[in-house]
Amino acid sequence: MIKALRFTLLPVLAAALAAAAVAQDPIKVGEFASLTGKEAAFGQSSHKGTLLAIEELNATGGVLGRQFELITEDNQSKQGESATIVKKLISRDQVIALLGEVASGRSLEAAPIAQNYKIPMISPSSTNPKVTEMGSYIFRVCFIDPFQGTAMAKFGKDTLHLKKIALLTSVSSPYSVGLAKYFKETFAKIGGEITIEQKYSEGDKDFKAQLTAIKAANVDGIFVPGYYTEAALISKQARELEMDYPIFGGDGWEAPQLIEIGGKAMEGTYYSTHYSPENTSPGVQSFVKKFRARFAGEIPDAMAALGYDSAMVLADAIKRAGTTDHSKLRAAIAATKNFNGVTGKTTIDSNRNATKAAVVITVKDGAFKFVQAINP
Ligand code: PHE
């Protein structure tokens, strides 16, 4: 009798145990980020925010009874690397979704691969419209550059009272080219004049030729839709040439390095971004507190907040989908509505984008200061 029982029960037990093990396999999420190299500040910040979200989710039991495993790969801020590491994350690590990137150029590199393998990808903070146009599996949780460009054109005209502007664009960055275009369209429409346009490339260090041309054009401000390293060097060299008028830019300026590199030249400059740690809302303040406790007192910036929100939006979608099956998960992300995050409510629209407010930041006494919010 006992013997018979053993024979009949054992296989059942073994099958049940195997099923439990499968059910408890971690949910693998791939993150690709610029942890080193030219835009290391972007990748580091975004990664910390993402990691904080994943740790919090795991501490509260994960989703669907499973823990998350975050697999992070560094693209070294180099062109071509995102494609390589994203292929590896999909084929070798078998991640069920991708989180990344900050820079639009690198999201644009990864998106066709994610789309091809039907692996949902959520960019935390790439703002170029083309990113989500790459296909039905590509999402973002931030605003896009037609909004940011419009917001900064109006800020330049109405708040800074600038009438004649110089545009200094990085031709090797899709983000810069896009933001310049949207800024220009609105600035002209509201009666401003783009008096002169100059160009540079990512990694350039000497902007004296462009700045000398701008100086001769008698403008009353410069818009620099670029990343922080060049924006800081441009501001510094402009001040050396005694060009004292406002210099301003977009979210690409956001990094502590902007002030470290630019120093005094950054005083009185402005840029738009996605969030301010000075926001007194309980959601923002609780995030700031948790982040500082986890990362040695560091104050989280926009990339950290959006990295955090991207992981939380993904977890919420997995929960609603009840599965990590790629097409069901894709549909659940697409159906995200009013998801409450650090950077506001995320609703994914029919173009797989989010609509959120922007904030304007200035540099005052060597520190970033909130100026105003701009609602969509
Ligand atoms: N929006 C920028 C891009 O698309 C990246 C960025 C986001 C930079 C947020 C700083 C803060 O390339």
Side-chain angles (χ1 to χ4, degrees):
M1 179 64 191
I2 287 170
K3 212 173 174 187
L5 250 183
R6 211 195 295 152
F7 275 109
T8 51
L9 282 183
L10 264 183
V12 177
L13 200 68
L17 280 176
V22 168
Q24 278 163 21
D25 268 358
I27 297 172
K28 289 186 183 174
V29 174
E31 182 196 18
F32 62 110
S34 55
L35 296 175
T36 58
K38 197 171 149 282
E39 275 93 43
F42 289 170
Q44 288 291 343
S45 256
S46 185
H47 171 64
K48 285 176 189 157
T50 307
L51 185 62
L52 183 67
I54 296 286
E55 287 176 353
E56 241 178 83
L57 288 161
N58 283 342
T60 51
V63 291
L64 313 180
R66 296 165 69 184
Q67 293 280 292
F68 281 100
E69 181 185 343
L70 182 68
I71 307 174
T72 307
E73 292 286 341
D74 177 18
N75 56 32
Q76 303 160 51
S77 308
K78 279 189 195 146
Q79 217 181 335
E81 278 303 310
S82 294
T84 309
I85 60 179
V86 158
K87 274 184 205 146
K88 181 223 156 237
L89 285 167
I90 296 173
S91 317
R92 206 178 80 192
D93 300 321
Q94 312 237 298
V95 300
I96 57 101
L98 289 159
L99 298 176
E101 228 257 16
V102 173
S104 289
R106 291 190 280 272
S107 286
L108 282 167
E109 234 185 78
I113 298 161
Q115 181 64 29
N116 195 33
Y117 283 94
K118 296 192 159 59
I119 298 295
M121 166 177 148
I122 304 178
S123 166
S125 46
S126 287
T127 46
N128 188 284
K130 288 192 190 115
V131 171
T132 46
E133 286 166 15
M134 301 308 288
S136 56
Y137 276 77
I138 317 300
F139 300 88
R140 83 180 97 217
V141 294
C142 59
F143 58 63
I144 54 175
D145 286 333
F147 166 65
Q148 180 169 219
T150 299
M152 284 320 268
K154 288 187 180 156
F155 179 79
K157 182 92 191 336
D158 302 338
T159 307
L160 300 178
H161 306 294
L162 308 175
K163 292 184 186 70
K164 296 168 75 186
I165 279 189
L167 204 50
L168 188 43
T169 309
S170 167
V171 285
S172 61
S173 150
Y175 159 73
S176 188
V177 172
L179 185 54
K181 174 173 169 256
Y182 303 116
F183 176 91
K184 190 176 156 180
E185 283 171 6
T186 304
F187 198 68
K189 210 184 291 167
I190 60 177
E193 177 191 297
I194 305 288
T195 311
I196 177 170
E197 285 185 56
Q198 290 286 302
K199 298 178 186 345
Y200 66 93
S201 290
E202 292 304 290
D204 283 0
K205 296 200 163 55
D206 185 348
F207 304 91
K208 289 270 157 62
Q210 293 95 320
L211 289 169
T212 305
I214 291 172
K215 190 173 181 183
N218 278 321
V219 293
D220 42 31
I222 314 178
F223 187 64
V224 184
Y227 293 139
Y228 58 90
T229 311
E230 289 83 7
L233 291 172
I234 287 166
S235 303
K236 214 172 164 174
Q237 292 169 24
R239 300 310 184 216
E240 281 161 20
L241 289 170
E242 286 164 357
M243 301 156 79
D244 294 328
Y245 34 71
I247 305 178
F248 60 127
D251 58 349
W253 279 36
E254 174 131 343
Q257 283 81 348
L258 185 82
I259 299 177
E260 280 163 28
I261 301 168
K264 275 211 172 68
M266 303 320 296
E267 290 293 312
T269 59
Y270 298 88
Y271 67 88
S272 49
T273 188
H274 307 258
Y275 129 111
S276 162
E278 289 177 61
N279 185 326
T280 53
S281 86
V284 170
Q285 284 314 310
S286 118
F287 169 70
V288 170
K289 202 170 150 201
K290 284 184 292 192
F291 190 95
R292 297 193 71 181
R294 174 67 177 82
F295 299 109
E298 188 178 321
I299 294 173
D301 58 18
M303 288 82 78
L306 285 165
Y308 181 90
D309 282 355
S310 69
M312 288 302 190
V313 163
L314 174 64
D316 172 67
I318 296 173
K319 217 184 295 168
R320 279 185 289 106
T323 170
T324 56
D325 166 80
H326 55 232
S327 79
K328 292 196 179 108
L329 179 54
R330 191 214 78 81
I333 300 170
T336 300
K337 264 198 183 58
N338 289 323
F339 181 80
N340 230 332
V342 178
T343 56
K345 287 199 164 85
T346 301
T347 294
I348 300 293
D349 66 20
S350 58
N351 297 317
R352 295 171 300 282
N353 299 324
T355 302
K356 288 178 175 174
V359 301
V360 178
I361 306 274
T362 190
V363 179
K364 195 170 184 292
D365 302 326
F368 295 117
K369 270 258 152 280
F370 171 82
V371 178
Q372 68 176 75
I374 302 177
N375 289 316

